[in-house]
Structures are given as C-alpha cells and as structure tokens.
Amino acid sequence: MKKILIVGLGPMGIAHLKSFQKKSSKYEIILSDLNINKIFKHNFVLFNKFKNITMNSYIPKNHEFDLVIISTNSKERYLVVKEIIKYNKIKHLLLEKFLFPNLKDFNLFRDLIKKNKIKHIFVNCWGDSLIKKLNL
C-alpha cells in the first residue's frame, strides 16, 4: 500500500485528495492542516469515501512517504517542507505553484532537497498523471 501525505487542505489540497478517490483502497493517506476539524466538517462525505485515511492538525513524524503533496501558501511552504523532510523519509514531492515568495527560500529548499536526496519533485501536476508517472 502506498503512503501519501497531503499538507494543506484548501481547494487545491482537496482537489488532490479527490484524485485518489477512485482507487482509495490502494493508498494510506494522511492529511495535515492546522484547521483539520473545520475542514472535516465541510468535507465529511468526501473523507468517508476513503478507507485508509488519517487526519492531523500537525506534521506527522517518523514515516516513509511514497508521495508528499504540499498545497500550503507559498509563504509557509519552505518551513513545512523543511519540517517534513527533517522527520520523515520522502520518495516523491509535489509542490503547488507559486513555489516560494523569495529567492532565499528557493535556495534553502534546493540545498535541503540535494542533502536529503528526494527522488522526484513535481510542481502543480494533476493527480491522475502523477499516479501513472510514479506507478502509484
């Protein structure tokens, strides 16, 4: 079973979650958002369509993820990615665009990725094409 983390459950995070809906039994999905209780109430029907789903208001630690999708605001994105990489192992990473608000964050991100040898990084790629490309 492939393990997926989605951080940030605004419209884009929810759209990415929906892309895994058809084959949800193949995935263990962990959702992370500071406002998870409010989001759960508004998306109760969608979340209940998934068999293996966990919801957190924090970044999970000590996991190995096949795919991490970061759909937060660009202002906080580097800090989120840094925390995820610090405490977890990641094979593939998907970032929503606009990537970073400044060149400094981009350069820090680039160094972090090189150091931790993330296999693939995608930017704003839709779920179905990503699933096929990564054999998820």
Side-chain angles (χ1 to χ4, degrees), residues 29-118:
I29 299 177
I30 298 175
L31 306 175
S32 178
D33 193 290
L34 292 175
N35 299 309
I36 196 69
N37 292 328
K38 181 179 176 183
I39 292 164
F40 177 74
K41 289 176 187 176
H42 290 15
N43 296 283
F44 179 78
V45 173
L46 171 64
F47 291 171
N48 281 323
K49 292 180 181 180
F50 289 86
K51 296 183 188 233
N52 305 305
I53 196 165
T54 305
M55 293 171 270
N56 300 311
S57 59
Y58 55 87
I59 301 295
K61 295 180 180 179
N62 302 315
H63 290 271
E64 289 186 28
F65 292 107
D66 294 289
L67 174 63
V68 174
I69 299 172
I70 308 293
S71 57
T72 63
N73 294 324
S74 61
K75 290 179 184 178
E76 61 211 30
R77 185 162 300 133
Y78 173 72
L79 294 175
V80 169
V81 170
K82 182 179 173 183
E83 185 173 347
I84 291 169
I85 290 174
K86 182 177 180 179
Y87 295 107
N88 300 283
K89 185 176 178 185
I90 301 170
K91 290 183 185 174
H92 308 286
L93 180 62
L94 169 65
L95 303 173
E96 277 303 317
K97 63 179 184 190
F98 181 74
L99 287 178
F100 299 101
N102 57 55
L103 187 57
K104 178 187 171 196
D105 283 357
F106 175 79
N107 288 331
L108 290 169
F109 170 76
R110 183 188 60 209
D111 295 343
L112 186 66
I113 294 304
K114 285 181 183 178
K115 179 182 174 185
N116 289 279
K117 301 176 184 171
I118 305 295

